[in-house]
Amino acid sequence: MPEIIFNGPAGRLEGRYQPSKQKNAPIAIVLHPHPQFGGTMNNQIVYQLFYMFQKRGFTTLRFNFRGIGRSQGEFDHGAGELSDAASALDWVQSLHPDSKSCWVAGYSFGAWIGMQLLMRRPEIEGFMSIAPQPNIYDFSFLAPCPSSGLIINGDSDKVAPEKDVNGLVEKLKTQKGILITHRTVPGANHFFNGQTETLMAECEDYLDRRLAGELTPEPAAKRIR
């Protein structure tokens, strides 16, 4: 899979990129966990998500946020990392102008960045948030959340307790016009130790069902005059 360097807002960013054979294939961007706690684009879950999208014909990119690996710049507490993600999407779109839709998948810190990117980019039609941390990061910007997606967490996660994730899900589920799917991996911690296969099976099932036209929101009921 080609190693690439592209320009970001704070210097060059390092990534791995796999173009689809189809010119109009959807794009998938995969975002890694917290840079200051060992998160990189080579995280096993990030790698598996990348491969999952690639196998299904997406043009796929994962990259290192600023200050990680060969990416220039330094950690910026989320604001700069969101700019990095926007630049990454711009870069892929410049190479694939016929691609009309996009997905974003993020794990932990990457889930928070991914959800913010979703708010800024109307072409993002699906998301996967793996082990989001609403107990640490503010998700109130999701007002309203513009796209349907999957939120998945472990019920033994001490970093992002289940009750906090459930609270985020319940808040999003009240919104009209989107469908939030919530899955819990029994016994899994924040890192899905020993549970990565179960996690990926859930993500693959969700993606396959979305690509088959399932899991779309019910159309809003028409008011009778």
Side-chain angles (χ1 to χ4, degrees):
M1 111 199 18
E3 178 181 327
I4 46 103
I5 299 284
F6 58 95
N7 288 325
R12 292 189 303 275
L13 293 171
E14 172 191 21
R16 298 288 183 277
Y17 158 70
Q18 192 68 50
S20 171
K21 293 184 175 68
Q22 304 295 324
K23 283 180 69 175
N24 63 345
I27 292 165
I29 304 265
V30 186
L31 304 175
H32 70 71
H34 202 294
Q36 294 193 310
F37 298 99
T40 79
M41 67 173 174
N42 295 321
N43 170 278
Q44 187 58 33
I45 290 171
V46 171
Y47 174 80
Q48 299 260 12
L49 289 165
F50 178 95
Y51 189 60
M52 172 188 74
F53 282 110
Q54 183 199 329
K55 276 199 305 190
R56 285 157 179 80
F58 283 70
T59 285
T60 311
L61 174 71
R62 69 186 202 269
F63 69 96
N64 279 328
F65 287 126
R66 55 185 63 199
I68 297 298
R70 294 168 61 200
S71 290
Q72 295 178 319
E74 51 191 53
F75 179 66
D76 193 35
H77 306 280
E81 287 73 19
L82 175 56
S83 297
D84 293 344
S87 290
L89 183 50
D90 289 342
W91 180 81
V92 184
Q93 286 176 331
S94 72
L95 297 177
H96 299 271
D98 294 327
S99 181
K100 298 291 181 276
S101 69
C102 176
W103 279 63
V104 62
Y107 168 34
S108 192
F109 173 84
W112 180 53
I113 301 297
M115 296 299 270
Q116 292 178 77
L117 186 66
L118 177 76
M119 292 298 294
R120 293 182 167 207
R121 305 297 282 260
E123 66 271 32
I124 298 178
E125 63 176 24
F127 71 86
M128 291 187 184
S129 277
I130 291 139
Q133 298 166 273
N135 53 316
I136 296 173
Y137 302 117
D138 182 4
F139 281 84
S140 63
F141 57 82
L142 291 168
C145 178
S147 301
S148 299
L150 172 70
I151 295 176
I152 184 164
N153 61 295
D155 67 2
S156 299
D157 191 332
K158 301 282 193 291
V159 178
E162 189 178 23
K163 67 175 176 56
D164 295 291
V165 178
N166 288 345
L168 173 64
V169 169
E170 289 311 310
K171 191 174 132 189
L172 296 181
K173 278 189 168 177
T174 63
Q175 298 182 12
K176 302 280 190 288
I178 61 163
L179 184 65
I180 301 298
T181 301
H182 183 209
R183 296 278 180 268
T184 305
V185 179
N189 61 17
H190 193 65
F191 308 99
F192 296 90
N193 295 126
Q195 301 272 24
T196 308
E197 278 188 23
T198 308
L199 169 69
M200 290 311 304
E202 291 282 6
C203 292
E204 288 170 7
D205 177 67
Y206 178 78
L207 183 57
D208 288 340
R209 290 173 70 187
R210 277 289 298 271
L211 294 176
E214 299 175 35
L215 299 173
T216 52
E218 294 289 324
K222 288 181 181 167
R223 276 195 293 183
I224 299 168
R225 291 188 182 279

